[in-house]
Amino acid sequence: DTGVSQDPRHKITKRGQNVTFRCDPISEHNRLYWYRQTLGQGPEFLTYFQNEAQLEKSRLLSDRFSAERPKGSFSTLEIQRTEQGDSAMYLCASSSSSGRLIDAFFGQGTRLTVV
Amino acid sequence: AQSVTQLDSQVPVFEEAPVELRCNYSSSVSVYLFWYVQYPNQGLQLLLKYLSGSTLVESINGFEAEFNKSQTSFHLRKPSVHISDTAEYFCAVSEGAQKLVFGQGTRLTINP
């Protein structure tokens, strides 16, 4: 296990379709984060898991977005009824729960284009 | 809520010249500070971090950043840049123990 893995790397979808992204964290990391990065901006926090529990969700995460981490390992982020404004890079990160967010390792991201 | 301001959206420099990328954050309480680098079509890589102790932190590839509490700054510097340093650089501050708040990024372009 060499790092955080995200799949797919690129996704082009038509407006109104549903998409699902997967993130596999570093195996010993029990914290998992999703961020969204739009063009020319820094990443923005979406949600965070400690093991399988989703502990925080940003107001950016509308009801069309849902994230899961069913067994405390990999995570999925689903976007329903995609809109053009959902076009962005979706980044996943993981870290260990040593009391502080100290070393968050990021995956290479999934670039979503909604046409 | 925390906020991070990166004062320059783009910084062009010549190869082997020094560079400074500026970062200011909003918090007046103890924070952790980070610089991440993003190469084209890649995810973020941690460049360096300040947690406590010495206010000057260094990375393995020659970058350094200085934490200045009175000015709430964490500027990134390198005395001599290389073409391979061309990338986007993001300053980030911890908000609680759960997440990072990022600046908008600075695109560093190295000209030969």
Side-chain angles (χ1 to χ4, degrees):
Chain A
D1 188 327
T2 57
V4 179
S5 176
Q6 292 188 247
D7 183 71
R9 292 288 309 278
H10 304 274
K11 177 71 176 178
I12 300 175
T13 191
K14 291 184 178 179
R15 190 173 51 186
Q17 297 295 305
N18 299 344
V19 295
T20 300
F21 311 140
R22 176 179 171 126
C23 171
D24 287 89
I26 293 172
S27 58
E28 63 267 26
H29 285 180
N30 54 5
R31 288 183 175 176
L32 187 146
Y33 310 82
W34 285 100
Y35 285 79
R36 181 173 68 186
Q37 184 180 17
T38 53
L39 203 61
Q41 301 294 318
E44 296 172 293
F45 172 81
L46 291 179
T47 189
Y48 145 68
F49 290 84
Q50 172 99 7
N51 299 313
E52 66 275 11
Q54 188 174 19
L55 297 185
E56 188 173 347
K57 292 169 61 173
S58 163
R59 281 171 289 181
L60 293 174
L61 214 64
S62 76
D63 56 6
R64 295 185 298 106
F65 288 70
S66 62
E68 295 182 343
R69 196 182 182 198
K71 296 182 179 179
S73 56
F74 73 91
S75 175
T76 58
L77 177 68
E78 181 183 15
I79 309 174
Q80 296 181 327
R81 305 181 303 281
T82 52
E83 302 172 356
Q84 286 189 322
D86 297 330
S87 294
M89 175 81 89
Y90 290 84
L91 295 166
C92 176
S94 70
S95 71
S96 62
S97 59
S98 56
R100 283 288 186 179
L101 169 61
I102 295 176
D103 286 316
F105 293 86
F106 283 81
Q108 292 188 312
T110 294
R111 183 171 296 283
L112 172 67
T113 303
V114 181
V115 298
Chain B
Q2 303 276 13
S3 67
V4 176
T5 302
Q6 291 184 243
L7 296 163
D8 306 294
S9 59
Q10 295 187 60
V11 173
V13 295
F14 288 106
E15 195 172 16
E16 298 183 6
V19 69
E20 178 180 79
L21 306 183
R22 296 179 292 169
C23 171
N24 287 88
Y25 63 95
S26 63
S27 176
S28 59
V29 298
S30 296
V31 294
Y32 298 150
L33 293 156
F34 307 80
W35 276 99
Y36 281 84
V37 59
Q38 187 174 36
Y39 298 103
N41 299 314
Q42 299 291 316
L44 299 172
Q45 298 176 30
L46 180 65
L47 190 60
L48 48 75
K49 61 190 177 189
Y50 170 78
L51 305 178
S52 64
S54 172
T55 58
L56 187 66
V57 290
E58 298 176 349
S59 73
I60 58 172
N61 57 354
F63 283 94
E64 63 180 30
E66 186 163 17
F67 169 60
N68 188 319
K69 187 175 182 179
S70 63
Q71 297 186 5
T72 59
S73 68
F74 191 56
H75 301 332
L76 181 70
R77 302 183 183 96
K78 189 171 185 179
S80 176
V81 295
H82 302 283
I83 291 285
S84 59
D85 293 324
T86 296
E88 188 134 21
Y89 291 80
F90 292 95
C91 182
V93 62
S94 59
E95 183 164 283
Q98 285 79 37
K99 60 183 181 242
L100 295 168
V101 176
F102 288 87
Q104 292 186 311
T106 298
R107 184 172 301 278
L108 177 62
T109 305
I110 313 298
N111 298 307

